[in-house]
Amino acid sequence: MSTPDHAERFTDRADDYAAHRPSYPEACIDAMLRGMGTPGMLAVADVGAGTGIMARLIAVRGPLVVAIEPNGAMREKAEAHERVLMEDGTAEATGLKDGSVDLVVCAQSFHWFDPSAAFAEFRRVLKGTGRLALVWNEVDATTEIGAGYREILDGLATDETPRVRYGAQEDPFAVTKLFDDVRKAAFPLEMRHSRDGLIGRALSASYAPKAGAGHEELVSRLGDLHTVHADGAGEVGLPYVTTVWMGEVAAGASMVRVRGED
């Protein structure tokens, strides 16, 4: 998350975020690391890392991961991993050295950033052979339960975040010439939730109402949705599509120093 306001949105969501946010498919991690060489020799920056979900998935493959997250509550909820360093910072000012990482990953976070400043910062910290991967998990609205979930959560949103997030995924690299060989891939994912887990998943979203009539309606309708779709174990399968946009540092694209840095 980039600005202080954006970062603070998640302070009262950290518990639900750590407990109920979805993972990412192994095939997505495969795609991001493919062709980059020996994983144990790679340095990765996970920017807008939240509680470090993506950072840990990458780290178990061997890379050293610096997880950049401005929200202190989210960093505190991150599960420790010997190859993950949690650091305070933003997409526009990561605090990393010039040309110090092979891969920058933004998982469920790029829509919070200033695109121009973030792309410039990513190019600065990436090696000349580096890669940028922008990843989103979206509940699959082509399924009955997915459509129901999104109708409830998006319909009760306290601001325009869902619209902004969906829009950011249309062609995020279109505004920059710092990266080329841009491609897109999508992978299926399913997460299983109890009733409380389904509600907790929704409440981890920064735009989900946390109090008042909107909150009560959210809890009630999600409870009903769970009842309709629950299996014998009392769980529902919530399907996702994980989309990753990737680009390589463009040939001849020199480092761009963000204004105000020394």
Side-chain angles (χ1 to χ4, degrees), residues 50 61 69 75-76 85 106 109 112 114 135 139 159 162 173-175 187 195 207-208 211 232 250 254-255:
R61 301 292 191 94
E69 171 55 50
R75 293 196 306 272
E76 289 175 6
L85 305 175
C106 305
S109 60
W112 292 115
D114 175 324
V135 185
V139 172
D159 58 38
F173 283 89
V175 298
F187 308 95
R195 179 185 182 279
Y207 52 89
S254 59
M255 290 184 184

Side-chain angles (χ1 to χ4, degrees), residues 53-118:
I53 298 169
M54 177 64 83
R56 291 188 297 275
L57 290 172
I58 295 173
V60 298
R61 301 292 191 94
L64 178 66
V65 183
V66 182
I68 306 294
E69 171 55 50
N71 186 286
M74 298 284 269
R75 293 196 306 272
E76 289 175 6
K77 288 294 180 181
E79 180 182 340
H81 188 283
E82 62 182 1
R83 297 193 65 79
V84 176
L85 305 175
M86 291 293 300
E87 298 288 348
D88 187 5
T90 68
E92 300 83 2
T94 62
L96 298 172
K97 294 181 179 180
D98 292 358
S100 58
V101 299
D102 301 281
L103 172 66
V104 170
V105 178
C106 305
Q108 204 72 7
S109 60
F110 187 77
H111 52 280
W112 292 115
F113 306 156
D114 175 324
S116 179

Side-chain angles (χ1 to χ4, degrees), residues 39-52:
M41 301 297 292
L42 299 177
V44 178
D46 178 10
V47 182
T51 59

Side-chain angles (χ1 to χ4, degrees), residues 187-204:
F187 308 95
L189 174 70
E190 182 181 85
M191 300 298 293
R192 302 201 64 78
H193 295 289
S194 65
R195 179 185 182 279
D196 289 345
L198 186 67
I199 293 169
R201 166 62 187 94
L203 291 177
S204 73

